[in-house]
Amino acid sequence: MARNNFNDLLAFRAVAVERSFTRAAAQMGVSTSALSHAVRGLEERLGIRLLNRTTRTVVPTEAGERLLQTVRTLFDGVEAELASLGELRDRPAGNIRITTSAHAAKTILEPALIPLLAEYPDLKVELSADAGFVDIVAERFDAGVRLGETIAQDMIAVRIGPDMRMAAAGSPAYFARHPPPVVPHDLGRHNCINLRFPTYGGLYAWEFEKDGRALNVRVDGQLTVNDTTLALQAAMNGLGIAYVTDDQVLPLIAAGRLVRVLEDWCPPFPGYHLYYPSRRQHSPGFAVLIEALRYRDQNATRHLQK
C-alpha cells in the first residue's frame, strides 16, 4: 500500500473518532481542508462513502464504522508496540490516561500516585473524574477505575482497594424529630437525600441486602444532588438521610455529627478495580502503575470471562 494511503487511513480514523474535521485537524496538526481532502481521496479510491457529513456532525456510515473498527485495532496495536519499546529505557515514562470516580481518585489513586510520580519523573498520569461509565476504548483511555461488580466481562481487572460498604446516616437533630428507620422500607417515611448519577440514567436506587435478601429502594426527599460530598453536608445540616460509602461516614459518626442507621442491611461488596482491555500491551509505565495500585491483601488480579 502506498504511504499516502496510510496517512489517509490515519486521517479517517481521527475524524471518525472525533466526529469532527475541526477537532481531528487540531489533533493531527494539519489544516481542516487537508484532512477533508485526504478522507475524500480515500473514499474515491474505495468507491464508497465512509462518512456522512452535515453542517454540525460527522458520522461514520456502515462501511465507515466497519473500517474504523479494523483501522483502530491495527493502529492501536502499532502504537502499543511502539510504546512498549520504552522497555529499552532505564526508567518508565510516557502518558497514562485513567477514567475514574472522584471518590476512587481521592481515596485510592492520589495516595498511590504521590510516591509513584516522585520516583518516576518521566511518567505522566491524567485522571478524569466522571460520575458515569466511560467507554475506555472509544474515548482512548488506557484504563478505568470502577467497583468490581460493575466492570464489563471482556476486561482484565486488578483489585486496587478493599471491600466496601454503604452507610445510611443522618444528623442527631434530624433523628430527634424523626424515629430512625429499622428496615429499608421505613425510608418511605423519611426525607432522603437523593443522588443523581448518569450511570443509572436517573436517581440512584438505594441498594440493601440482609440474609441473602436484596432490596432496591426508591427514596424520596426535598433535595437531590450529584455528588456524595454534597449529600453528606446536607445530612450534617439536618436535611435528611444520606446514603454513601461508609469510609466517608465513619469519621463524622465518631465526631458525633452523624448517626448511622440500617447498618445490618449494608453488607460488604467488591471494592475498586483498575480495568483495561485484555489485548492491551503493557508499557513499563503502565506496569509500574499497576504494581503501585495493586491491593496487596487479596488475590488481586482476575480475568473476567464472558
Side-chain angles (χ1 to χ4, degrees):
M1 178 181 285
R3 181 181 300 174
N4 66 308
N5 286 0
F6 284 112
N7 293 335
D8 292 351
L9 286 172
L10 287 170
F12 163 73
R13 182 185 68 162
V15 175
V17 169
E18 292 296 330
R19 299 295 200 268
S20 165
F21 278 89
T22 302
R23 290 195 298 270
Q27 180 189 94
M28 297 186 69
V30 299
S31 68
T32 303
S33 60
L35 202 60
S36 179
H37 178 75
V39 173
R40 186 171 291 109
L42 178 62
E43 290 177 322
E44 290 174 356
R45 286 194 301 276
L46 294 175
I48 190 170
R49 180 176 289 277
L50 300 173
L51 299 171
N52 286 323
R53 306 158 174 84
T54 70
T55 56
R56 292 192 176 187
T57 62
V58 178
V59 180
T61 62
E62 181 179 356
E65 192 64 46
R66 179 176 171 179
L67 179 61
L68 174 61
Q69 296 307 316
T70 301
V71 169
R72 173 181 279 168
T73 300
L74 291 174
F75 281 111
D76 283 359
V78 170
E79 290 170 355
E81 186 63 28
L82 291 174
S84 72
L85 295 178
E87 292 176 351
L88 300 176
R89 297 173 58 118
D90 294 333
R91 300 174 67 83
N95 301 317
I96 300 174
R97 299 183 69 229
I98 302 174
T99 174
T100 178
S101 67
H103 180 257
K106 180 179 180 180
T107 60
I108 302 291
L109 297 179
E110 289 184 359
L113 288 176
I114 292 172
L116 179 70
L117 297 181
E119 183 176 359
Y120 300 108
D122 294 329
L123 187 63
K124 296 181 180 180
V125 177
E126 176 184 341
L127 301 181
S128 178
D130 198 307
F133 288 113
V134 173
D135 185 334
I136 62 173
V137 175
E139 299 298 327
R140 303 182 67 77
F141 283 98
D142 296 288
V145 173
R146 288 294 182 267
L147 297 175
E149 60 189 9
T150 61
I151 295 174
Q153 297 296 306
D154 58 349
M155 293 286 171
I156 291 178
V158 179
R159 189 182 181 101
I160 62 173
D163 282 351
M164 299 170 63
R165 294 181 69 194
M166 297 298 291
S171 70
Y174 175 82
F175 288 125
R177 304 190 305 269
H178 307 277
V182 178
V183 295
H185 288 306
D186 292 343
L187 292 170
R189 299 192 295 270
H190 283 268
N191 202 5
C192 296
I193 301 162
N194 261 308
L195 287 169
R196 186 183 298 279
F197 293 140
T199 299
Y200 298 95
L203 298 180
Y204 167 59
W206 295 10
E207 300 169 280
F208 297 95
E209 183 180 338
K210 184 177 181 181
D211 300 329
R213 178 191 176 196
L215 289 176
N216 286 356
V217 179
R218 295 284 179 181
V219 299
D220 194 18
Q222 293 177 279
L223 183 64
T224 297
V225 298
N226 67 349
D227 181 83
T228 56
T229 302
L230 298 176
L232 279 173
Q233 188 61 52
M236 287 187 286
N237 290 336
L239 294 180
I241 300 176
Y243 194 58
V244 299
T245 56
D246 67 353
D247 64 300
Q248 300 175 80
V249 169
L250 294 177
L252 301 173
I253 293 174
R257 303 191 66 182
L258 289 176
V259 176
R260 187 171 188 172
V261 294
L262 301 174
E263 184 173 0
D264 55 337
W265 280 89
C266 298
F269 56 87
Y272 289 119
H273 287 64
L274 181 83
Y275 67 96
Y276 52 91
S278 58
R279 294 189 298 273
R280 191 191 196 286
Q281 186 165 356
H282 289 191
S283 68
F286 193 71
V288 298
L289 175 73
I290 290 177
E291 289 308 307
L293 293 174
R294 190 185 299 274
Y295 184 56
R296 301 297 176 182
D297 294 343
Q298 298 288 337
N299 182 15
T301 306
R302 59 189 175 93
H303 190 190
L304 302 177
Q305 302 292 336
K306 285 187 176 180

